[in-house]
Amino acid sequence: MTFLNDAWNWLNHAAHWHGSGGIPMRILQHLGYSGVVLLIAMVIALPLGVMIGHTGRGTVVVSTLANVGRAIPTLGLLVLLAVFLTFSPLAWIIPLVALAVPPILVNAYEGVAGVDREVRDAARGMGMTGWQRLVKVEVPVAMPLIVLGLRTAAIFVVATVTIIAYIGLGGLGRYIIDGLASYRYGPVAGGALVVIVLALAVQALFVGLSRLLVPAGLREQARHGKTELPT
Amino acid sequence: MTWSWIPANSGEILSLTAKNALLGVVPALIGLAISLPLGIACVRWGWLYPPALSGVNILYALPSLAVFVALQPYFEVETDPPVIIALTVFSLCVLLPSVVDGLRAVPEHVRQSATAMGFGPLRRLTQVEMPLAAPVIIGGLRVATVSSISLASVGQLIGVSSLGYLFIDGYQRAFPTEIYVGITLLIILAAAADLLLVLSRWWLTAWRRGDAGEAGVT
């Protein structure tokens, strides 16, 4: 078991846990980059996806983004922007935001657009305005998919922040890129193991978050299977 | 943009493109070959699906570069297996849910009709259920193939050649032309693979051609 062995040996050096290049610092950097990117992507994609789902206008944008988004070569975009923008943070922010926007947008759209007709009509029948229906009914009902979109984006971003070390930035990818460049497998394995654990922790965090954000009524429904209206 | 660079290096560009196509398509196909029997098993024995789904969800969260380097010591340096294995796993994560969803979407009355017509379980699966599930499975295959083609370029960081070479080399020489060519070819490759799969869906689902729109599986 070379990978785990080497990773373990490297992680067991106290020196790797201290200072500006230490593991805790690198984890914070990694989460910092990821947080900035996710926040920007959310600000762009959530309102857009929810509004397209609510109004039904602009659905072409969603299907195009869903298809194009996956094909974007993040490494290519990253190095291209790094050549032109050198030290600007936009060089890493743009490709990572481009990676995070499609899953958030598509899921927010599908969640809101997929709200049952009966539910929409009931809200309208209760005298709710368009805005009230959106905020009090459609968004809460769409919450499971909205959180799923955020989770997918977070997973993509935390994973991909690893490669921005290639253009000279920090984060956990630093250990992998530097180790590969100097033919030392210890830091490569150690860095990879830490980033894997971090990715799993972020995923677990979002699974927990969906428990918190999904309205109690929907959770009840999920537990008992979709309730069918008597006809 | 230094256009003259392109014809001067066309041989290498072509071979990198072909290599990238291979690294994208092979994992998607192996992933399909594994997820079909696994998906069928998950539909037949329902209890198998929740743990399998949790498993693929966990695997899907793993950063590709970390998986590449984790597999690296078990193979000869700079050979393809680490990238192919990692991308196969990611493809499997996308494909297993599509196989299961596709098969589960086959209406019960269709299944019963097939049985009533004397179809045994195997014939019903291969001649009725699988064709009806094909559009959903091909949908998953499109995602898996396009992502694999794109992710294969990251394998260049561990020395496995692909169009990613143009990214790395172009970056190190601060030569944008090379990076443009790499990005363009990667997108063309992904679009071409996607188009082929859309065509194969059209070819495989003859019954959907007659009437417009989404007849067939509901």
Side-chain angles (χ1 to χ4, degrees), chain B residues 6-213:
Chain B
I6 301 174
N9 294 277
S10 57
E12 193 189 14
I13 295 172
L14 272 180
S15 76
L16 290 173
T17 310
K19 180 68 187 309
N20 205 128
L22 185 84
L23 288 178
V25 172
V26 169
L29 292 180
I30 305 177
L32 181 67
I34 301 173
S35 60
L36 280 178
L38 197 58
I40 291 166
C42 285
V43 172
R44 183 126 317 165
W45 298 289
W47 55 267
L48 202 61
Y49 190 46
L53 188 64
S54 310
V56 296
N57 277 338
I58 288 172
L59 289 173
Y60 197 58
L62 303 181
S64 53
L65 181 59
V67 183
F68 292 163
V69 299
L71 293 169
Q72 211 183 8
Y74 307 100
F75 301 95
E76 272 181 68
V77 265
E78 305 194 348
T79 53
D80 303 344
V83 173
I84 294 201
I85 293 172
L87 296 181
T88 299
V89 171
F90 292 138
S91 301
L92 179 68
C93 298
V94 176
L95 281 163
L96 182 67
S98 349
V99 172
V100 173
D101 291 345
L103 287 174
R104 281 189 178 166
V106 176
E108 191 52 40
H109 62 87
V110 171
R111 231 186 299 262
Q112 288 171 0
S113 312
T115 310
M117 285 175 72
F119 281 61
L122 187 66
R123 236 181 101 214
R124 194 182 67 190
L125 181 70
T126 52
Q127 295 183 5
V128 178
E129 292 170 289
M130 290 299 287
L132 285 175
V136 183
I137 298 174
I138 291 175
L141 198 56
R142 289 172 66 188
V143 177
T145 312
V146 170
S147 328
S148 295
I149 287 174
S150 177
L151 276 178
S153 65
V154 178
Q156 189 69 49
L157 292 175
I158 61 161
V160 175
S161 77
S162 65
L163 286 169
Y165 175 78
L166 302 179
F167 301 156
I168 303 300
D169 198 52
Y171 175 67
Q172 282 167 353
R173 297 163 54 193
F175 182 52
T177 302
E178 212 174 337
I179 307 175
Y180 284 129
V181 170
I183 293 178
T184 310
L185 285 174
L186 207 56
I187 291 175
I188 291 176
L189 209 54
D194 199 46
L195 185 68
L196 271 177
L197 286 168
V198 172
L199 287 175
S200 76
R201 182 184 62 190
W202 181 82
W203 181 69
L204 281 171
T205 53
W207 65 92
R208 306 216 311 177
R209 273 174 238 160
D211 37 25

